[in-house]
Amino acid sequence: MRSERWSSRTADLTLPERVAWILGDDEGRPMSTLTEPAGLLVAAAMVELLLDASLLDAGTTYRRGPVEVTDPLLGWVAESLLAHGGAKTDLQHAVTGNRGAQMIRRTMDRLVERGLAAREPRRVFGYLAMPVFGSALRVHEVEALHHDRAAVRASLEGEEPDEAVAMLIVLLHHGRRVRELSPADLTLAARRARAISDGRHVTLGVAQDIRRLISPTVGAVLAALTATTVIGSER
């Protein structure tokens, strides 16, 4: 999902990569692979799959759409969903436990592969490297991150978002992550994010997608994570 408002280095990020990226630290300090929300990343992947018609909402189930999935991260999520018949009641299979932890790691791996971030060993008590995931990520392209975070903040402050930014804001709203963008006026930003998630302040086509597909999907994925702790696994 491309965005003309994104930096040239990150314009072609998939939506789950974009969620992980935009939550990076403005100063480029290590970004913990343990704190990124697995459910939010899965929801982002599903949003992109639905918008691309690679995945279809069939009422009580999700089914494969007419458009082939070419991105490996999105393809992995689609296969995870369809492996259990696509039933919405079984959504937790795709977002909890080891599979959720793998979603975090796979998304972070993509940021490293793109050269946007680099691995940095994590240490406990100053000397013992943490074995879980093996590292945190340090943002390399800090200038691009500043640009992208500013683009999202602009829409939270009143600028009409394009489709890609709107979908990102919907995800941040449902995942309660708007605060992490450090908006100048958090109350205003939260109100604006809620309005966009209701299909306001966007074009008609984007509003229809948000109301019909996006908000229900994000809500369902995050609900599947209720009372679930994602634990890292090397498997």
Side-chain angles (χ1 to χ4, degrees):
M1 180 180 290
R2 291 187 62 86
S3 173
E4 296 302 321
R5 302 184 189 185
W6 228 242
S7 73
S8 58
R9 283 286 287 115
T10 58
D12 63 344
L13 291 182
T14 61
L15 199 47
E17 292 172 276
R18 193 159 288 180
V19 171
W21 170 250
I22 203 67
L23 294 176
D25 188 283
D26 266 323
E27 303 304 318
R29 288 192 294 269
M31 191 166 48
S32 173
T33 53
L34 296 176
T35 59
E36 293 303 329
L40 198 53
L41 299 180
V42 172
M46 289 177 62
V47 164
E48 187 152 359
L49 289 164
L50 287 165
L51 290 173
D52 289 345
S54 298
L55 191 70
L56 299 179
D57 187 333
T60 59
T61 64
Y62 293 106
R63 62 183 177 84
R64 197 178 303 279
V67 178
E68 182 183 358
V69 185
T70 57
D71 181 85
L73 180 62
L74 298 179
W76 182 76
V77 172
E79 290 302 322
S80 299
L81 290 168
L82 299 172
H84 294 273
K88 292 183 179 179
T89 54
D90 290 334
L91 191 57
Q92 64 270 21
H93 289 297
V95 298
T96 60
N98 291 341
R99 192 165 294 276
Q102 289 174 33
M103 181 65 192
I104 296 170
R105 187 171 55 193
R106 284 169 182 256
T107 304
M108 297 303 186
D109 283 347
R110 291 294 296 274
L111 296 180
V112 172
E113 291 165 7
R114 291 177 183 273
L116 296 171
R119 301 205 173 280
E120 179 164 292
R122 301 194 65 196
R123 298 185 178 279
V124 178
F125 305 123
Y127 65 90
L128 180 64
M130 284 184 69
V132 180
F133 295 109
S135 68
L137 297 185
R138 177 175 287 276
V139 174
H140 266 191
E141 298 284 346
V142 178
E143 192 170 312
L145 180 60
H146 286 174
H147 177 281
D148 296 342
R149 284 170 64 88
V152 180
R153 280 194 293 261
S155 291
L156 290 173
E157 292 168 359
E159 184 179 288
E160 182 180 291
D162 64 9
E163 181 186 48
V165 173
M167 298 311 170
L168 179 59
I169 288 174
V170 173
L171 287 156
L172 295 175
H173 167 70
H174 284 289
R176 299 181 180 180
R177 298 273 171 162
V178 171
R179 176 186 296 275
E180 294 183 32
L181 282 174
S182 304
D185 185 331
L186 178 58
T187 300
L188 174 63
R191 188 182 303 125
R192 176 85 174 173
R194 186 183 308 111
I196 291 172
S197 297
D198 289 337
R200 290 179 281 153
H201 308 307
V202 293
T203 62
L204 178 59
V206 172
Q208 290 173 335
D209 283 339
I210 289 174
R211 291 168 180 156
R212 183 173 61 91
L213 292 174
I214 309 312
S215 282
T217 297
V218 179
V221 173
L222 297 182
L225 284 178
T226 302
T228 299
T229 300
V230 178
I231 301 175
S233 170
E234 287 300 318
R235 288 178 294 178

